[in-house]
Amino acid sequence: YARANYSIASKYLFTASVRTDGSSKFSPKTRWGVFPSGAFAWNIKEEGFLKGVKAVSQLKLRLSAGMTGQQDGIDNYAHLARYGITTDVYSKYYMGAQGFNFMMSPQAYDPDIKWETTTTYNVGVDFGFLGDRITGTVDAYLRNTNDLLNTVNIPTGSNFGNSLFTNIGSLQNKGLEFALNFIPVQTNDWHLSIGLNGTVQDTKF
């Protein structure tokens, strides 16, 4: 994992990071994933044309893009050919005095199973007015997930089972999020705060 931050006059903020994750749940050829990210923020309030404007207490523009990976739900040896005890009552085998016993059978597996990856793009604005009596954020995002991990039905005879946990399909989420906070009453002893937030999202499979 590596991360770098750079600031220019507290106005222009840069962040870059990269992480490399490895998991023994994958075969050696798909075991490692590299997930980079980067972000830029422009602190507009520090610019000369706004620095003296008291009505605007904060104003920042943010841009970011990054990739993450996940391996949830994968068995420890999902990429290897394995045997397991059958649970089907019709798969029992009669063994004399021992009666009927469950047998071992090969299990379905995917030798090429790999990381599920999600790439997110985001643009946002943070703002504050009247000494932060009014504050809020607005974010627009696009999130693409590829190589989704899920259990799917497969044709009988194509593997050692009729279902398989593997990479299948993709997913896209895009939307808009906002949050607003108001302080209509503020004294030395107490204050009243009102917050609102909402999200609009569109999902495509």
Side-chain angles (χ1 to χ4, degrees), residues 110-154:
D110 180 4
D112 299 317
I113 194 169
K114 57 186 177 180
W115 290 89
E116 175 183 300
T117 60
T118 299
T119 304
T120 303
Y121 306 93
N122 187 90
V123 57
V125 176
D126 302 325
F127 56 85
F129 302 104
L130 305 176
D132 281 348
R133 296 286 291 270
I134 302 174
T135 59
T137 63
V138 179
D139 285 273
Y141 62 88
L142 173 64
R143 184 176 299 117
N144 294 316
T145 302
N146 296 311
D147 299 316
L148 282 165
L149 290 167
N150 206 347
T151 300
V152 295
N153 294 324
I154 56 176

Side-chain angles (χ1 to χ4, degrees), residues 44-181:
I44 307 174
K45 173 59 181 175
E46 292 298 315
E47 296 289 353
F49 60 87
L50 274 182
K51 207 165 187 178
V53 180
K54 294 184 178 180
V56 180
S57 49
Q58 60 171 302
L59 185 61
K60 181 186 290 185
L61 173 67
R62 296 176 282 103
L63 302 171
S64 64
M67 179 184 293
T68 58
Q70 75 98 1
Q71 54 171 332
D72 293 344
I74 305 176
D75 290 341
N76 290 334
Y77 306 101
H79 67 283
L80 296 175
R82 300 162 294 162
Y83 280 81
I85 298 176
T86 59
T87 58
D88 189 341
V89 67
Y90 297 106
S91 299
K92 286 184 176 182
Y93 188 81
Y94 182 72
M95 302 181 67
Q98 297 182 17
F100 287 92
N101 291 273
F102 286 109
M103 305 300 293
M104 301 290 289
S105 66
Q107 298 180 346
Y109 74 103
D110 180 4
D112 299 317
I113 194 169
K114 57 186 177 180
W115 290 89
E116 175 183 300
T117 60
T118 299
T119 304
T120 303
Y121 306 93
N122 187 90
V123 57
V125 176
D126 302 325
F127 56 85
F129 302 104
L130 305 176
D132 281 348
R133 296 286 291 270
I134 302 174
T135 59
T137 63
V138 179
D139 285 273
Y141 62 88
L142 173 64
R143 184 176 299 117
N144 294 316
T145 302
N146 296 311
D147 299 316
L148 282 165
L149 290 167
N150 206 347
T151 300
V152 295
N153 294 324
I154 56 176
T156 301
S158 64
N159 209 308
F160 296 110
N162 56 11
S163 65
L164 179 67
F165 192 83
T166 185
N167 301 100
I168 180 71
S170 60
L171 176 69
Q172 182 184 85
N173 290 301
K174 58 182 178 181
L176 184 70
E177 297 179 338
F178 70 89
L180 295 173
N181 191 71

Side-chain angles (χ1 to χ4, degrees), residues 1-8 11-18 35-42 60-67:
Y1 178 82
R3 181 183 177 94
N5 296 293
Y6 189 70
S7 173
I8 302 176
K11 297 180 184 178
Y12 313 107
L13 312 173
F14 300 87
T15 300
S17 67
V18 61
F35 309 109
S37 67
F40 166 73
W42 178 23
K60 181 186 290 185
L61 173 67
R62 296 176 282 103
L63 302 171
S64 64
M67 179 184 293

Side-chain angles (χ1 to χ4, degrees), residues 180-199:
L180 295 173
N181 191 71
F182 306 91
I183 305 177
V185 180
Q186 183 172 6
T187 69
N188 293 331
D189 300 319
W190 70 284
H191 72 272
L192 173 65
S193 178
I194 300 174
L196 302 171
N197 64 77
T199 302

